[in-house]
Amino acid sequence: MKKLSTSLLLTLMAFLFFPLVSQAEETVLTPAQTTVIQANGKTAQNEETVLFNADATAWRCSQAKISGGAFSNMLANYEGSPVVITKFDASEFMTGKTLKKATLKFFSKCTVSGKNSNVQIAHIGTGWDATTATWANTNKAETLNATGLNGDGVNVKTSRVELTQDVTEQLAASTDNTIGFGIFTYTGREQEITDITLTIEAIDASASSTYTVKYVDGNGNELKESETRSESIGAALAITDADKASIYNADKTKKYIYVSDDAEGKTVAGDAST
């Protein structure tokens, strides 16, 4: 059995001293830079080139994989492995604010009639420039340090669909509020990527605090690492569907299923004790 536990300390005091809840401010950012890094294929037109166009509204990606923090060319005998790389600069918006949530969004469709392709999203470094980025000078573990974000990916057919990825943790870890992503596929059928945005919710830093979510069994034993989140002082606690997902132990011999939580009626204390 699984319970979500939060501390009762100072909840009443927080309500008395901070009765007004600061509303989160939301903004939608467009990329600071986007380009396609192209792995060498066998033909001249597929040689490594800078595929950057400041006015572009659509980009193409195809089959690649992550190996040691860099992207591996899966289509060397054909067109090579184009990977869309994009980055955002949230530093101006985040000045004086505490991050609440960040969501990467874009549209995708398979360009091969009647087929589909598996779309993958990776978190990457921002130490590259779109105007000079190529497969060779950008695709290095120390530059990209690519890490997959969406597990087994999403199968997308020829109908245009919006894909989203929660990237709150990745943006929160950024020391300069910049963040980069790589978009590619696990299949050899090309995908068209359009309308890339980053939606950010943030709270005035002076009016926010943190609270901790713990995942415990019926005996109070922690089942996985606790999570610290930011929210307006005095706001109610939010327990998500992801919080209620089943948890397995290390060797997959036990499965813990959500039973209850104790968030109801609690509000975020200004001293981070909740």
Side-chain angles (χ1 to χ4, degrees):
M1 142 174 100
K2 180 176 73 172
K3 294 178 67 180
L4 299 177
S5 177
T6 53
S7 170
L8 285 169
L9 294 176
L10 299 181
T11 301
L12 180 58
M13 183 178 293
F15 177 76
L16 292 174
F17 281 96
F18 304 99
L20 298 178
V21 177
S22 176
Q23 296 298 314
E25 184 178 348
E26 181 177 292
T27 191
V28 178
L29 300 180
T30 55
Q33 293 186 354
T34 301
T35 193
V36 177
I37 56 171
Q38 171 68 63
N40 284 334
K42 284 192 169 183
T43 59
Q45 65 265 31
N46 292 326
E47 289 182 357
E48 217 162 10
T49 56
V50 179
L51 300 178
F52 171 73
N53 179 350
D55 298 320
T57 57
W59 302 268
R60 302 292 179 94
C61 64
S62 195
Q63 187 175 17
K65 71 175 183 179
I66 299 172
S67 179
F71 295 110
S72 294
N73 184 0
M74 302 296 291
L75 299 172
N77 293 331
Y78 302 99
E79 72 272 17
S81 295
V83 176
V84 177
I85 57 175
T86 186
K87 62 182 174 182
F88 296 86
D89 184 351
S91 57
E92 183 176 353
F93 175 74
M94 288 301 300
T95 299
K97 299 184 181 71
T98 299
L99 178 65
K100 182 178 179 182
K101 186 174 183 180
T103 306
L104 176 69
K105 298 181 181 180
F106 60 89
F107 285 89
S108 180
K109 70 175 182 179
C110 184
T111 63
V112 183
S113 178
K115 300 294 184 178
N116 63 74
S117 196
N118 183 270
V119 180
Q120 293 286 322
I121 304 169
H123 176 228
I124 64 173
T126 56
W128 50 271
D129 183 83
T131 62
T132 58
T134 68
W135 185 271
N137 69 17
T138 303
N139 188 33
K140 300 176 181 178
E142 62 268 26
T143 302
L144 293 182
N145 195 22
T147 305
L149 292 179
N150 64 335
D152 294 330
V154 180
N155 288 320
V156 177
K157 298 181 180 180
T158 52
S159 296
R160 183 173 179 264
V161 297
E162 184 180 53
L163 301 184
T164 63
Q165 178 66 40
D166 187 326
V167 293
T168 309
E169 180 182 348
Q170 289 72 31
L171 182 56
S174 172
T175 57
D176 59 0
N177 287 311
T178 62
I179 191 167
F181 303 100
I183 303 172
F184 58 106
T185 79
Y186 269 3
T187 41
R189 294 180 286 273
E190 192 178 61
Q191 283 283 320
E192 180 181 84
I193 307 300
T194 59
D195 301 296
I196 307 172
T197 61
L198 182 67
T199 300
I200 302 176
E201 295 178 54
I203 310 160
D204 188 298
S206 64
S208 67
S209 186
T210 59
Y211 66 97
T212 303
V213 179
K214 295 182 179 181
Y215 303 83
V216 299
D217 65 16
N219 296 317
N221 301 308
E222 290 203 18
L223 302 177
K224 70 174 185 178
E225 187 176 355
S226 61
E227 293 184 17
T228 300
R229 302 173 185 175
S230 296
E231 185 53 274
S232 301
I233 296 171
L237 303 185
I239 301 300
T240 68
D241 289 341
D243 293 328
K244 301 177 184 180
S246 298
I247 298 174
Y248 292 87
N249 65 344
D251 59 7
K252 299 292 181 72
T253 58
K254 294 182 180 180
K255 177 181 180 180
Y256 296 89
I257 300 171
Y258 169 80
V259 174
S260 64
D261 65 75
D262 64 351
E264 186 176 358
K266 288 188 173 65
T267 57
V268 178
D271 62 354
S273 63
T274 308

